[in-house]
Structure formats: C-alpha cells, structure tokens
Amino acid sequence: QSALTQPRSVSGSPGQSVTISCTGTSSDVGDRDYVSWYQQHPGNAPKLIIYDVFKRPSGVPDRFSGSKSGNTASLTISGLRAEDEAEYYCCSYAGSYIFYVFGPGTKVTVL
Amino acid sequence: QVPLVQSGADVKKPGASVKVSCKASGNSFSGYYLHWVRQAPGQGLEWMGWITTNTGATTYAHKFQGRVTMSRDTSISAVYMELSGLRSDDTAIYYCATMKQLGFHWFDPWGQGTLVTVSS
C-alpha cells in the first residue's frame, strides 16, 4: 500500500491535456517542495521528468509541468503525444524518519 | 550524469541472500548518494535506502532494516545491495538511482534494473 495516492489511470486524445494528482499528507507532500515525478515506459527504468514540484530537467519537453497545492501535487501533460503513453509515479521526501515515499503510479493512455 | 550499469538477473531460493551490483560507467560517482528502489511485478516503486559513496554511510528504510546491507567499492566505482532472508514477495526489479547530494530530493539517473526472482 503506497503512502501517496494517485489515480490508477487517465486518458486523453492527442493534443489534449491530462492532469495526474498525487495526494499525500502534511508530513510529506504538504511539508516541503520536494515532489518529483517519473515516467516509466514498459520494460524501462523510471526517468525523472519533474523535480522540486515544478522544475524540469534538461531535455524534458515543456509540455510537462508540475504544481502543488496543500497536500496534493499535480503533473500536467499538455499537447498529449503518443510517446507520452506510460506509467507516471510521484515521489515525495517525507522527513528524516520515512525519507522517501512513492505513489502507486498512474497509467496514461493516449486514445 | 553518471550512467549506471547493474548486474544481471538472478534466481534465488527462499531464505537465501542476493547481492546486486551497480557500477558507474565512465567517471567515478564519488560524492554521490546511491539509492536503491525496487518494483515488484506489475506494482509500484518502493524506496529501500541509500549509501554515501564517499564515506560508505548507509540509511535504510525501516521495512528492510536487519535484512538489507548496502556497501561500496570505490576502486571500481561500484555499490552493492545485499538482501537476506529472501521471500517470494521479494521478487522484484531492483534499481539503483543517483542522488547528487543531500538536499537534492530526486533520483537521476537510474540503472537499468536487475530482476531478482525468489522461487523454490
């Protein structure tokens, strides 16, 4: 059972936008701005796409954006493309006892 | 970034131990924090702990304390994760992942993963 909550799946047509929520508590997501997001295609390792809530690593398209409000972080994919079909995981720092918690993952389907 | 190359798949019997390696390809990863994250078949990601490559200091998730040991060999830029008392629910892909320094709360890059199968 994951410490963070994500929808099991979201879907959208090419060109549309989808948003994935990641809900935690005041001890993790709501505590500091240390939420990261990972994209995982089948058979591959996870890939960092967002860190510190909204920052994008070099090479990640600006179609990917992150935000946070209270205990819920969100990942938005704008201008959905076929290659965005993957599993997306959120992760949050949860203090110096638990350290890091992941969400259960959200399957993004491009219709 | 430091590409990470992990050891190959392994099959173990219940109760045995497994040791997975993670080697930096090219440059040394001195000064980095190497974390281990696992993923059971069809499941999500689970953080296991980390090792500081400079000092060898370790921090483990409470769930794995007493069963996991992380170590390093700086001469070959490698870190290791050993899990003992294997059970069927330890069957998973084990990933190493880089955290460049404390305060950088994200993992990048990741190794390719090592499948560990626990089966009698």
Side-chain angles (χ1 to χ4, degrees), chain B residues 17-117:
Chain B
S17 297
V18 68
K19 192 170 186 178
V20 180
S21 69
C22 170
K23 192 171 185 301
S25 173
N27 298 328
S28 164
F29 53 31
S30 177
Y32 289 175
Y33 297 77
L34 267 292
H35 293 245
W36 290 89
V37 176
R38 76 177 186 178
Q39 185 171 37
Q43 302 300 309
L45 302 169
E46 182 175 32
W47 180 77
M48 299 180 69
W50 84 69
I51 181 167
T52 307
T53 56
N54 272 356
T55 65
T58 55
T59 297
Y60 304 138
H62 293 282
K63 173 178 179 177
F64 299 102
Q65 284 181 0
R67 280 213 304 147
V68 71
T69 303
M70 297 178 189
S71 58
R72 86 217 195 274
D73 184 341
T74 56
S75 66
I76 58 171
S77 296
V79 296
Y80 304 91
M81 187 284 300
E82 184 170 20
L83 190 63
S84 63
L86 290 171
R87 306 183 291 255
S88 58
D89 61 0
D90 290 318
T91 294
I93 298 174
Y94 290 77
Y95 294 101
C96 59
T98 310
M99 184 171 283
K100 291 186 178 177
Q101 63 184 66
L102 281 181
F104 283 20
H105 298 285
W106 62 89
F107 309 108
D108 180 52
W110 295 57
Q112 85 276 18
T114 296
L115 174 62
V116 175
T117 303

Side-chain angles (χ1 to χ4, degrees), chain A residues 3 5 10 13 33 46 75 77 99 104:
Chain A
T5 302
V10 299
S13 299
D33 291 341
L75 172 71
I77 310 173
F99 292 102

Side-chain angles (χ1 to χ4, degrees), chain A residues 20-110:
Chain A
I20 302 168
S21 61
C22 170
T23 301
T25 69
S26 57
S27 297
D28 39 62
V29 174
D31 188 39
R32 302 182 195 185
D33 291 341
Y34 293 146
V35 175
S36 54
W37 289 88
Y38 302 87
Q39 177 192 62
Q40 186 178 36
H41 288 106
N44 288 353
K47 173 191 171 186
L48 176 71
I49 55 173
I50 293 287
Y51 66 99
D52 288 353
V53 174
F54 63 89
K55 298 175 183 177
R56 271 189 316 277
S58 173
V60 174
D62 59 6
R63 302 185 293 103
F64 293 90
S65 61
S67 63
K68 192 187 86 168
S69 177
N71 296 337
T72 298
S74 298
L75 172 71
T76 298
I77 310 173
S78 306
L80 203 58
R81 302 177 64 158
E83 59 261 38
D84 299 334
E85 188 162 292
E87 196 82 20
Y88 291 83
Y89 295 92
C90 62
C91 177
S92 177
Y93 177 66
S96 58
Y97 183 78
I98 304 291
F99 292 102
Y100 296 97
V101 290
F102 284 92
T106 297
K107 169 68 174 174
V108 170
T109 300
V110 181

